[in-house]
Every structure is written in C-alpha cells, then in structure tokens.
Amino acid sequence: VTRVLVTGGSGFFGAAAIAALHGFGEVHAVARTPPESSAPGVTWHAIDLLDPEAARSLIKELRPTHLLHFAWNARPGQFWAAKDNLDWVAATLMLYRAFADAGGTRFVGAGTCAEYDWSRPEHVEDQTPLAPATLYGRAKSSTFQLLGAASAQDGVAFAWGRIYFVYGPGEQRGRLVSDIACELLSGGSPKCSEGLQQRDFMHIADYGRAFAALLQSEVQGAVNIASGECRSVRSVVEAIATQIGRPDAPQFGARPSPPHDPPRMSANVGRLRDEVGFRPVFSLEAGVADTIAWWRRKS
Amino acid sequence: VTRVLVTGGSGFFGAAAIAALHGFGEVHAVARTPPESSAPGVTWHAIDLLDPEAARSLIKELRPTHLLHFAWNARPGQFWAAKDNLDWVAATLMLYRAFADAGGTRFVGAGTCAEYDWSRPEHVEDQTPLAPATLYGRAKSSTFQLLGAASAQDGVAFAWGRIYFVYGPGEQRGRLVSDIACELLSGGSPKCSEGLQQRDFMHIADYGRAFAALLQSEVQGAVNIASGECRSVRSVVEAIATQIGRPDAPQFGARPSPPHDPPRMSANVGRLRDEVGFRPVFSLEAGVADTIAWWRRKS
C-alpha cells in the first residue's frame, strides 16, 4: 500500500501538491488548522509539527510510506531571518527520524534556491556551491545535508526539491505577483525597482505537479524545481500590467533595488526535465492570466 | 554575574573543563546522572537534554550567561554512524534557542576534526573545506553552521572548538590509548596496524583547560583544539610500551589499516595559541606517564 503524508498541507505548496497527488495511493495531510474545504479523498490531521511528541505519535500510528514535507515558517518578508528557522530544522530532523523508524521508504523535502551561492548566475544541483546568505537558506541547506547523510545510511530514498519563484491563484499578499496584481486591479500605480534582476517564475499548479512527480519518481538528491525560463522581474510586472490593460501604470525605478540583490538566479532544470520527466504546463503569460482572473473573481 | 552551564558534565571532556573552570563565576553542570563526586563548588542538574522541555525549563530558571556544550552521543566505535546524531543536532539547536531567549551572552560548542575534508593533511579553520565523511561529522558541521548564522543575528558570542585526538586518565575502554595501555599492563601483546597514520594527540586535562580558556576569551567562530604536534600512531603506542617496560610487545602490522584512513590529520593551532592564548602543559611523554600511573592505581 502507498500511503502519502503531506506536511504544510494547508499552505500554498501543500495544497497544490495534494491536488496533483490525486490517485497516488492514500493521501493524508497535516496542518495546524486543516482547511474547511480541500481536494477530495484527503484525510486531515490537525497537528503542530513543532511539537515533537505529536508528530512522532502521528507517524507511528499512520506509518506513511511516502512523506512530502513542506511545513516551515513562510511568512513573507519575515522568514529569511526568523529565529524559528532553527525550530523547523529540529522538527524536520525529528519528523524524518520517526518516519524512518516507522518503515517509511521515500522522503521528499522542500529546499530553496537560497541554499546556493548567489554570486553564481546559474545553479546546477551537484556543482554550484551551497553558500547560503541567509539563516533561512542555511537552515534549508543544513537540513538537506543532514537528511542526505542519514537517509543514505538508513536505506530511505531521499529527494529535495529546491524551489525558485512562485506565483498564482491563492498566493498571499506581500509577494511580488500578488501585490502588483492587486494594486493594478484596484487602480494603483505600484512603485517598483528597475526590475532588471532575472528570476525563474513558475505557476503554483506546476509546482504542485512537479513535487507530485518527484515524489512518485525514484530520483534521489537535490532537484531544482523551476520552469527553466529566467526572465527579468520587470518583464513579469509588464505582463501583468498589460493583461490588466494598464501597461503604463507601474513606476519602474521608483524604488531602489534591494542591496546585494543578485542580478540573475537561473535554475538548471536538466534533472527535473530528464530524470523526473516533468515539464510545466503554464507559460508565464497563461499563468498571469489565470492569476488575474482569480483576483478578479475574489474581489 | 557570570553563570556557566556545562552540558555533558559527567563525560570525559565535561569533567576536565569543569575542573579547569574553577573560579570562573558560578559553575553549573548538566548530566543525565550526575557523578557521585566532582570538582568542588559545582551545582549539578539531573536532566536529559534530549527532552526539549526539560532543557528549556532549566535554562529559563537558571539563566546562564555562558554555555559550554559537550553533551552528544560519544560511545566508542558507535557514534560515527549513530542515528541519534540527528537527535543531538535538534537538541543542540533547541538548547541554543532557549539560551539566547534567556539572555545568554556566550555559547561555546564542541566540534570535531571530522568536520573537515580529510583528504587535506592540515586543517585551517577558515580555509579548509568542511566536507564530512561521516554522519557524526556532518551533524557537527551543520550544527556549527546553523549556530554561526543564528548567533550572528541574535548578538550572541559563539565559538566552536574542534576536537582532535584525546587520551588520559579516566578515558573509557574502546579507544586507542586506553586499550593499548590496559593490554600492555595486563601482559598482552596488542595487535596494531602499521600505525603510520599521523594524528594530533592531546591530554584530557589540556583539553579541559583549552575549552575553559576558549569560554573565557572573546574569540568567535571555529577554533582547532589540539596540541599542534602531529605524530604517528605508532610512535604513541611505542611511547606507552616503552614506559611500561615492554617495548617489543606491540604487534605492528598484525591488523590491517582501516580503509580510507587519512594518512595525516594535522591541526593548525594558530588561533588557539595566538588568539585564545592557550598552550598545552603535557608533552606526549609526560601525558602517557600520567595515564599509565592512573591505570596502575586503578587496577
């Protein structure tokens, strides 16, 4: 029997992955507060994973074969330096231990492009040095290295999907695409930096499908999860403004660029494409249209 | 007020450090089972640090200004690959968090030469890559990196003493010097490898003094804790055998060398000597004499 447990199930990534896992065995999900509605056929467990006893009991009782771990502090603007990054490292190690002890066979975790040395414009999983500039990036990269070493000894299959830049329906405010779309839809003229920095953006539904595919594959180790198309932040803002019909509204250059902002963060997606066999469905233009339609319905 | 808390207080390193800390403020020590006798003036707390609630309560109540953290799994032959290395990472992160939250000012942890890339014959703290070959080494190096990133944000002074090879009175069996000395004293002829690999050995009392000095200094970051004298394992065994009066007893070459055993692991001790201001008291010959005398008294 295949029994999947998704942590952070009520979050942006967790919900998208759950939707994409439909049909892959028995799907269970953990959240501090399970959502009122979610994909059909999912069994919810209301647990705070920062409580190690609660996590251990659930794993022991459920005995999942597959674990897809998203739960972490992800509050926009706050998570980079949050003290509880250390708590999430500890909770993740204890979750893994309980899972391995209970006979679990495959553990997939959520990493980040912030694990890499940002002075490198392109990130290749086994070549680009891990040299995180932030506590969040350090917490994720240490978790990756620790679970990699432990799982190799334990005979647990382990993969780690490194997330780049995401957008889409349901994204919380305080992030690039959600804020720009909402400001433009409500008649504002968002102040932007020049926006020349290049990033890889992928729609949340594609992120969900990519993680579901990674979980169902036999690929091990780190895998960049991204579209493979790196473009300027300015071009993303322009796509939103054009589709909303207010192409001249964004005020580029009205804000300074953040200090130390890397000019280019491009994901090499060779492993994701060739080994996992995943390709995104949404182009940026289609994804932006989908996102704007969602905000219009919501308001 | 200076209030020091030493974890692993009943262990080989903890006891030596406590002895050397005499007079440095108020000294407290943690052990699952406090020893029946110990250095005078020490207040003992019977706590299992793998219980995060117990650790947090103690720190909150005691409010130590200085923390010297030795507690870890150190069972000879077993600790390299022990699964609970992950538990000790988690427990150390939680201990640090409680300490920082309670206003602690200086945290010193125990690292290991096993954090370094062992293909390098000499280890310099800020230059030699961290590329641990073992789960134990990975657990220690990740803990170092995580606490380094967190403490820099929190304004907590943080240092990390990397331990090399130790010997001395009170060492448990199952380790080089204790086993060789006991076998030779009881008339045996210990089987050894050729013993050409070179290591840095330092007496446990010097380790205790070095950690006490590091705790009392303002030095931050990683510091190799070693004698600075790297010699062949064979020469160490010969020194023991000669002092016991059985120079021909060790059977060199009767055992294969462990596979992948690095030929030389030399500690650069520039930081320890010049920044911390520490120099060892015992030469290897004096330390071996002291150790043999202890085993003679014990038997």
Side-chain angles (χ1 to χ4, degrees):
Chain A
V1 62
T2 298
R3 189 177 296 123
V4 183
L5 179 62
V6 181
T7 74
S10 62
F12 197 39
F13 287 92
I18 288 171
L21 281 168
H22 190 67
F24 182 59
E26 199 181 287
V27 179
H28 294 255
V30 170
R32 265 175 294 218
T33 312
E36 286 173 23
S37 67
S38 77
V42 177
T43 306
W44 285 91
H45 305 268
I47 295 269
D48 182 354
L49 290 176
L50 293 178
D51 173 353
E53 271 314 312
R56 188 154 30 214
S57 304
L58 173 66
I59 297 282
K60 212 170 156 183
E61 182 196 334
L62 197 61
R63 302 182 77 81
T65 57
H66 291 62
L67 211 156
L68 180 51
H69 178 48
F70 290 112
W72 204 275
N73 175 358
R75 287 185 288 286
Q78 189 263 16
F79 69 91
W80 293 107
K83 290 172 195 274
D84 67 4
N85 276 298
L86 295 191
D87 304 5
W88 281 107
V89 175
T92 300
L93 300 180
M94 294 301 92
L95 183 72
Y96 166 81
R97 288 269 284 138
F99 176 72
D101 284 351
T105 58
R106 184 165 174 82
F107 186 109
V108 173
T112 167
C113 56
E115 295 172 59
Y116 291 114
D117 179 348
W118 279 349
S119 71
R120 312 290 176 115
E122 192 194 6
H123 307 155
V124 184
E125 291 91 343
D126 295 335
Q127 291 169 35
T128 307
L130 301 183
T134 61
L135 181 59
Y136 173 73
R138 171 58 69 193
K140 289 286 191 177
S141 71
S142 289
T143 302
F144 163 69
Q145 293 176 317
L146 287 162
L147 294 186
S151 62
Q153 284 191 181
D154 296 340
V156 171
F158 168 66
W160 186 253
R162 295 210 172 107
I163 294 170
Y164 281 72
F165 294 80
V166 66
Y167 68 94
E171 189 178 34
Q172 59 191 318
R173 291 296 304 272
R175 296 180 51 90
L176 179 77
V177 173
S178 58
D179 274 7
I180 296 288
C182 289
E183 275 193 68
L184 288 168
L185 284 169
S186 62
S189 298
K191 290 183 177 174
C192 304
S193 72
E194 287 292 350
L196 302 180
Q197 65 277 36
Q198 296 179 359
R199 301 289 183 266
D200 187 311
F201 282 87
M202 190 163 79
H203 188 282
I204 184 61
D206 281 322
Y207 265 103
R209 282 188 279 267
F211 270 99
L214 180 58
L215 187 70
Q216 294 172 66
S217 79
E218 296 183 347
V219 174
Q220 297 207 43
V223 180
N224 293 336
I225 312 282
S227 73
E229 195 196 337
C230 194
R231 49 193 292 170
S232 72
V233 168
R234 184 181 188 119
S235 77
V236 174
V237 172
E238 285 170 343
I240 301 167
T242 302
Q243 291 197 24
I244 287 177
R246 305 189 55 222
D248 300 325
Q251 304 180 54
F252 293 109
R255 276 191 195 178
S257 289
H260 315 300
D261 211 25
R264 180 176 167 90
M265 294 176 68
S266 169
N268 179 302
V269 294
R271 294 204 76 193
L272 180 65
R273 187 186 55 223
D274 303 334
E275 298 181 41
V276 180
F278 170 84
R279 275 183 176 70
V281 169
F282 283 97
S283 67
L284 188 88
E285 282 63 31
V288 161
D290 185 52
T291 306
I292 293 169
W294 186 85
W295 282 110
R296 282 207 162 111
R297 282 198 305 278
K298 192 162 186 269
S299 62
Chain B
V1 61
T2 298
R3 187 178 297 122
V4 183
L5 179 63
V6 180
T7 74
S10 62
F12 197 38
F13 286 92
I18 288 171
L21 280 168
H22 189 68
F24 184 58
E26 198 182 288
V27 179
H28 295 255
V30 170
R32 265 176 293 219
T33 312
E36 287 173 23
S37 68
S38 77
V42 177
T43 306
W44 284 90
H45 305 269
I47 296 269
D48 183 354
L49 289 177
L50 293 178
D51 173 355
E53 271 314 313
R56 190 157 24 217
S57 304
L58 173 66
I59 297 283
K60 212 170 153 183
E61 183 197 332
L62 196 62
R63 304 183 77 81
T65 57
H66 291 62
L67 210 156
L68 180 52
H69 177 49
F70 289 111
W72 204 275
N73 174 357
R75 286 185 289 284
Q78 190 260 21
F79 69 91
W80 293 106
K83 290 172 196 272
D84 68 2
N85 276 299
L86 296 191
D87 304 5
W88 281 108
V89 175
T92 300
L93 300 181
M94 294 301 91
L95 183 71
Y96 166 80
R97 288 269 283 135
F99 176 71
D101 284 351
T105 58
R106 182 162 176 85
F107 186 109
V108 173
T112 167
C113 55
E115 295 172 59
Y116 291 114
D117 179 350
W118 280 348
S119 71
R120 312 289 176 117
E122 191 193 7
H123 308 155
V124 184
E125 291 90 344
D126 294 335
Q127 292 169 34
T128 307
L130 300 184
T134 61
L135 181 58
Y136 173 73
R138 172 57 70 194
K140 289 286 191 176
S141 71
S142 289
T143 302
F144 163 68
Q145 292 174 317
L146 286 162
L147 295 186
S151 62
Q153 283 191 182
D154 296 340
V156 171
F158 169 65
W160 186 253
R162 295 210 171 107
I163 293 169
Y164 280 71
F165 295 81
V166 66
Y167 68 94
E171 189 179 32
Q172 59 189 318
R173 291 296 304 270
R175 297 179 52 92
L176 179 77
V177 173
S178 59
D179 275 8
I180 297 288
C182 288
E183 275 192 68
L184 288 168
L185 285 170
S186 61
S189 297
K191 290 183 176 172
C192 304
S193 72
E194 287 293 350
L196 303 181
Q197 66 278 35
Q198 297 180 356
R199 301 290 182 265
D200 187 310
F201 283 87
M202 190 164 78
H203 189 283
I204 183 61
D206 281 322
Y207 266 102
R209 282 188 279 266
F211 271 98
L214 180 58
L215 187 70
Q216 294 172 64
S217 80
E218 295 182 350
V219 174
Q220 296 207 44
V223 179
N224 294 335
I225 312 284
S227 74
E229 194 196 340
C230 195
R231 48 193 292 169
S232 72
V233 168
R234 184 179 189 119
S235 77
V236 174
V237 172
E238 285 171 342
I240 301 169
T242 301
Q243 291 197 21
I244 287 177
R246 302 189 57 221
D248 300 327
Q251 302 180 54
F252 293 109
R255 277 191 191 175
S257 290
H260 315 300
D261 210 25
R264 181 176 167 88
M265 295 175 68
S266 170
N268 180 302
V269 293
R271 292 203 78 193
L272 180 64
R273 188 186 55 221
D274 302 334
E275 297 181 41
V276 180
F278 170 83
R279 276 182 174 73
V281 169
F282 282 96
S283 66
L284 188 88
E285 282 63 30
V288 161
D290 184 53
T291 306
I292 293 170
W294 187 85
W295 282 109
R296 283 205 160 113
R297 281 198 305 276
K298 190 161 188 270
S299 62

PDB file of all heavy atoms in Angstrom, chain B residues 264-283:
ATOM      1  N   ARG B 264      47.246  11.651   7.261  1.00  0.00           N
ATOM      2  CA  ARG B 264      47.692  12.707   8.183  1.00  0.00           C
ATOM      3  C   ARG B 264      46.533  13.655   8.475  1.00  0.00           C
ATOM      4  O   ARG B 264      45.859  14.115   7.556  1.00  0.00           O
ATOM      5  CB  ARG B 264      48.854  13.475   7.547  1.00  0.00           C
ATOM      6  CG  ARG B 264      49.424  14.593   8.412  1.00  0.00           C
ATOM      7  CD  ARG B 264      50.639  15.234   7.720  1.00  0.00           C
ATOM      8  NE  ARG B 264      51.016  16.494   8.354  1.00  0.00           N
ATOM      9  CZ  ARG B 264      51.859  16.601   9.383  1.00  0.00           C
ATOM     10  NH1 ARG B 264      52.439  15.521   9.869  1.00  0.00           N
ATOM     11  NH2 ARG B 264      52.131  17.779   9.917  1.00  0.00           N
ATOM     12  N   MET B 265      46.309  13.943   9.754  1.00  0.00           N
ATOM     13  CA  MET B 265      45.301  14.925  10.155  1.00  0.00           C
ATOM     14  C   MET B 265      45.934  15.869  11.152  1.00  0.00           C
ATOM     15  O   MET B 265      45.964  15.601  12.350  1.00  0.00           O
ATOM     16  CB  MET B 265      44.096  14.224  10.787  1.00  0.00           C
ATOM     17  CG  MET B 265      43.348  13.349   9.796  1.00  0.00           C
ATOM     18  SD  MET B 265      42.018  12.427  10.580  1.00  0.00           S
ATOM     19  CE  MET B 265      40.912  13.762  11.000  1.00  0.00           C
ATOM     20  N   SER B 266      46.434  16.958  10.626  1.00  0.00           N
ATOM     21  CA  SER B 266      47.192  17.894  11.446  1.00  0.00           C
ATOM     22  C   SER B 266      46.364  19.149  11.684  1.00  0.00           C
ATOM     23  O   SER B 266      45.782  19.703  10.754  1.00  0.00           O
ATOM     24  CB  SER B 266      48.491  18.231  10.717  1.00  0.00           C
ATOM     25  OG  SER B 266      49.145  19.299  11.342  1.00  0.00           O
ATOM     26  N   ALA B 267      46.322  19.584  12.936  1.00  0.00           N
ATOM     27  CA  ALA B 267      45.568  20.789  13.282  1.00  0.00           C
ATOM     28  C   ALA B 267      46.470  21.999  13.231  1.00  0.00           C
ATOM     29  O   ALA B 267      47.505  22.018  13.905  1.00  0.00           O
ATOM     30  CB  ALA B 267      44.993  20.646  14.690  1.00  0.00           C
ATOM     31  N   ASN B 268      46.086  22.994  12.478  1.00  0.00           N
ATOM     32  CA  ASN B 268      46.746  24.292  12.619  1.00  0.00           C
ATOM     33  C   ASN B 268      46.203  24.924  13.903  1.00  0.00           C
ATOM     34  O   ASN B 268      44.992  25.107  14.050  1.00  0.00           O
ATOM     35  CB  ASN B 268      46.430  25.157  11.399  1.00  0.00           C
ATOM     36  CG  ASN B 268      47.088  26.529  11.494  1.00  0.00           C
ATOM     37  OD1 ASN B 268      46.861  27.277  12.441  1.00  0.00           O
ATOM     38  ND2 ASN B 268      47.907  26.862  10.518  1.00  0.00           N
ATOM     39  N   VAL B 269      47.087  25.221  14.847  1.00  0.00           N
ATOM     40  CA  VAL B 269      46.629  25.730  16.150  1.00  0.00           C
ATOM     41  C   VAL B 269      46.960  27.217  16.340  1.00  0.00           C
ATOM     42  O   VAL B 269      47.020  27.706  17.467  1.00  0.00           O
ATOM     43  CB  VAL B 269      47.189  24.897  17.328  1.00  0.00           C
ATOM     44  CG1 VAL B 269      46.606  23.489  17.302  1.00  0.00           C
ATOM     45  CG2 VAL B 269      48.709  24.861  17.313  1.00  0.00           C
ATOM     46  N   GLY B 270      47.120  27.914  15.229  1.00  0.00           N
ATOM     47  CA  GLY B 270      47.434  29.346  15.310  1.00  0.00           C
ATOM     48  C   GLY B 270      46.386  30.142  16.089  1.00  0.00           C
ATOM     49  O   GLY B 270      46.725  30.975  16.937  1.00  0.00           O
ATOM     50  N   ARG B 271      45.118  29.877  15.819  1.00  0.00           N
ATOM     51  CA  ARG B 271      44.065  30.637  16.525  1.00  0.00           C
ATOM     52  C   ARG B 271      44.074  30.313  18.011  1.00  0.00           C
ATOM     53  O   ARG B 271      43.937  31.218  18.853  1.00  0.00           O
ATOM     54  CB  ARG B 271      42.663  30.298  15.981  1.00  0.00           C
ATOM     55  CG  ARG B 271      42.394  30.759  14.574  1.00  0.00           C
ATOM     56  CD  ARG B 271      40.875  30.901  14.335  1.00  0.00           C
ATOM     57  NE  ARG B 271      40.392  32.139  14.926  1.00  0.00           N
ATOM     58  CZ  ARG B 271      39.108  32.441  15.119  1.00  0.00           C
ATOM     59  NH1 ARG B 271      38.164  31.579  14.774  1.00  0.00           N
ATOM     60  NH2 ARG B 271      38.767  33.584  15.664  1.00  0.00           N
ATOM     61  N   LEU B 272      44.195  29.044  18.341  1.00  0.00           N
ATOM     62  CA  LEU B 272      44.171  28.626  19.746  1.00  0.00           C
ATOM     63  C   LEU B 272      45.335  29.259  20.510  1.00  0.00           C
ATOM     64  O   LEU B 272      45.188  29.739  21.631  1.00  0.00           O
ATOM     65  CB  LEU B 272      44.247  27.098  19.828  1.00  0.00           C
ATOM     66  CG  LEU B 272      44.237  26.499  21.244  1.00  0.00           C
ATOM     67  CD1 LEU B 272      42.922  26.802  21.952  1.00  0.00           C
ATOM     68  CD2 LEU B 272      44.480  24.992  21.188  1.00  0.00           C
ATOM     69  N   ARG B 273      46.502  29.265  19.867  1.00  0.00           N
ATOM     70  CA  ARG B 273      47.702  29.763  20.540  1.00  0.00           C
ATOM     71  C   ARG B 273      47.707  31.296  20.598  1.00  0.00           C
ATOM     72  O   ARG B 273      47.920  31.892  21.644  1.00  0.00           O
ATOM     73  CB  ARG B 273      48.933  29.259  19.770  1.00  0.00           C
ATOM     74  CG  ARG B 273      50.269  29.528  20.437  1.00  0.00           C
ATOM     75  CD  ARG B 273      51.404  29.108  19.514  1.00  0.00           C
ATOM     76  NE  ARG B 273      51.253  29.778  18.211  1.00  0.00           N
ATOM     77  CZ  ARG B 273      51.457  29.197  17.021  1.00  0.00           C
ATOM     78  NH1 ARG B 273      51.836  27.943  16.948  1.00  0.00           N
ATOM     79  NH2 ARG B 273      51.281  29.890  15.902  1.00  0.00           N
ATOM     80  N   ASP B 274      47.421  31.941  19.433  1.00  0.00           N
ATOM     81  CA  ASP B 274      47.632  33.387  19.358  1.00  0.00           C
ATOM     82  C   ASP B 274      46.396  34.186  19.776  1.00  0.00           C
ATOM     83  O   ASP B 274      46.522  35.272  20.330  1.00  0.00           O
ATOM     84  CB  ASP B 274      48.038  33.778  17.935  1.00  0.00           C
ATOM     85  CG  ASP B 274      49.308  33.042  17.496  1.00  0.00           C
ATOM     86  OD1 ASP B 274      50.098  32.657  18.385  1.00  0.00           O
ATOM     87  OD2 ASP B 274      49.477  32.832  16.284  1.00  0.00           O
ATOM     88  N   GLU B 275      45.203  33.671  19.498  1.00  0.00           N
ATOM     89  CA  GLU B 275      44.004  34.438  19.852  1.00  0.00           C
ATOM     90  C   GLU B 275      43.463  34.038  21.221  1.00  0.00           C
ATOM     91  O   GLU B 275      43.108  34.891  22.024  1.00  0.00           O
ATOM     92  CB  GLU B 275      42.935  34.287  18.761  1.00  0.00           C
ATOM     93  CG  GLU B 275      43.393  34.845  17.413  1.00  0.00           C
ATOM     94  CD  GLU B 275      42.324  34.726  16.333  1.00  0.00           C
ATOM     95  OE1 GLU B 275      41.142  34.975  16.613  1.00  0.00           O
ATOM     96  OE2 GLU B 275      42.692  34.344  15.193  1.00  0.00           O
ATOM     97  N   VAL B 276      43.371  32.725  21.464  1.00  0.00           N
ATOM     98  CA  VAL B 276      42.878  32.276  22.778  1.00  0.00           C
ATOM     99  C   VAL B 276      44.004  32.362  23.813  1.00  0.00           C
ATOM    100  O   VAL B 276      43.762  32.559  24.998  1.00  0.00           O
ATOM    101  CB  VAL B 276      42.321  30.835  22.691  1.00  0.00           C
ATOM    102  CG1 VAL B 276      41.807  30.358  24.050  1.00  0.00           C
ATOM    103  CG2 VAL B 276      41.207  30.752  21.640  1.00  0.00           C
ATOM    104  N   GLY B 277      45.246  32.223  23.358  1.00  0.00           N
ATOM    105  CA  GLY B 277      46.379  32.313  24.282  1.00  0.00           C
ATOM    106  C   GLY B 277      46.634  31.028  25.058  1.00  0.00           C
ATOM    107  O   GLY B 277      47.189  31.051  26.161  1.00  0.00           O
ATOM    108  N   PHE B 278      46.264  29.906  24.467  1.00  0.00           N
ATOM    109  CA  PHE B 278      46.414  28.616  25.161  1.00  0.00           C
ATOM    110  C   PHE B 278      47.621  27.843  24.656  1.00  0.00           C
ATOM    111  O   PHE B 278      47.864  27.770  23.448  1.00  0.00           O
ATOM    112  CB  PHE B 278      45.158  27.760  24.960  1.00  0.00           C
ATOM    113  CG  PHE B 278      45.340  26.347  25.447  1.00  0.00           C
ATOM    114  CD1 PHE B 278      45.176  26.033  26.788  1.00  0.00           C
ATOM    115  CD2 PHE B 278      45.721  25.331  24.568  1.00  0.00           C
ATOM    116  CE1 PHE B 278      45.371  24.737  27.246  1.00  0.00           C
ATOM    117  CE2 PHE B 278      45.924  24.032  25.017  1.00  0.00           C
ATOM    118  CZ  PHE B 278      45.746  23.737  26.354  1.00  0.00           C
ATOM    119  N   ARG B 279      48.351  27.239  25.597  1.00  0.00           N
ATOM    120  CA  ARG B 279      49.410  26.283  25.253  1.00  0.00           C
ATOM    121  C   ARG B 279      49.249  25.062  26.142  1.00  0.00           C
ATOM    122  O   ARG B 279      49.000  25.200  27.337  1.00  0.00           O
ATOM    123  CB  ARG B 279      50.789  26.888  25.496  1.00  0.00           C
ATOM    124  CG  ARG B 279      51.287  27.725  24.349  1.00  0.00           C
ATOM    125  CD  ARG B 279      52.682  28.264  24.631  1.00  0.00           C
ATOM    126  NE  ARG B 279      53.190  28.956  23.442  1.00  0.00           N
ATOM    127  CZ  ARG B 279      52.762  30.133  23.032  1.00  0.00           C
ATOM    128  NH1 ARG B 279      51.818  30.767  23.702  1.00  0.00           N
ATOM    129  NH2 ARG B 279      53.274  30.685  21.936  1.00  0.00           N
ATOM    130  N   PRO B 280      49.412  23.852  25.598  1.00  0.00           N
ATOM    131  CA  PRO B 280      49.258  22.666  26.437  1.00  0.00           C
ATOM    132  C   PRO B 280      50.373  22.550  27.473  1.00  0.00           C
ATOM    133  O   PRO B 280      51.486  23.014  27.251  1.00  0.00           O
ATOM    134  CB  PRO B 280      49.323  21.509  25.434  1.00  0.00           C
ATOM    135  CG  PRO B 280      49.986  22.061  24.215  1.00  0.00           C
ATOM    136  CD  PRO B 280      49.695  23.524  24.182  1.00  0.00           C
ATOM    137  N   VAL B 281      50.050  21.915  28.601  1.00  0.00           N
ATOM    138  CA  VAL B 281      51.014  21.692  29.672  1.00  0.00           C
ATOM    139  C   VAL B 281      51.771  20.378  29.445  1.00  0.00           C
ATOM    140  O   VAL B 281      52.974  20.303  29.619  1.00  0.00           O
ATOM    141  CB  VAL B 281      50.277  21.642  31.036  1.00  0.00           C
ATOM    142  CG1 VAL B 281      51.193  21.137  32.146  1.00  0.00           C
ATOM    143  CG2 VAL B 281      49.705  23.020  31.365  1.00  0.00           C
ATOM    144  N   PHE B 282      51.035  19.333  29.044  1.00  0.00           N
ATOM    145  CA  PHE B 282      51.623  17.993  28.934  1.00  0.00           C
ATOM    146  C   PHE B 282      52.302  17.769  27.587  1.00  0.00           C
ATOM    147  O   PHE B 282      51.675  17.945  26.531  1.00  0.00           O
ATOM    148  CB  PHE B 282      50.535  16.920  29.064  1.00  0.00           C
ATOM    149  CG  PHE B 282      50.078  16.668  30.477  1.00  0.00           C
ATOM    150  CD1 PHE B 282      48.944  17.288  30.978  1.00  0.00           C
ATOM    151  CD2 PHE B 282      50.797  15.808  31.308  1.00  0.00           C
ATOM    152  CE1 PHE B 282      48.511  17.044  32.277  1.00  0.00           C
ATOM    153  CE2 PHE B 282      50.375  15.562  32.607  1.00  0.00           C
ATOM    154  CZ  PHE B 282      49.227  16.190  33.095  1.00  0.00           C
ATOM    155  N   SER B 283      53.549  17.328  27.601  1.00  0.00           N
ATOM    156  CA  SER B 283      54.126  16.701  26.410  1.00  0.00           C
ATOM    157  C   SER B 283      53.482  15.324  26.271  1.00  0.00           C
ATOM    158  O   SER B 283      52.870  14.814  27.221  1.00  0.00           O
ATOM    159  CB  SER B 283      55.640  16.530  26.586  1.00  0.00           C
ATOM    160  OG  SER B 283      55.880  15.600  27.639  1.00  0.00           O
TER     161      SER B 283
END
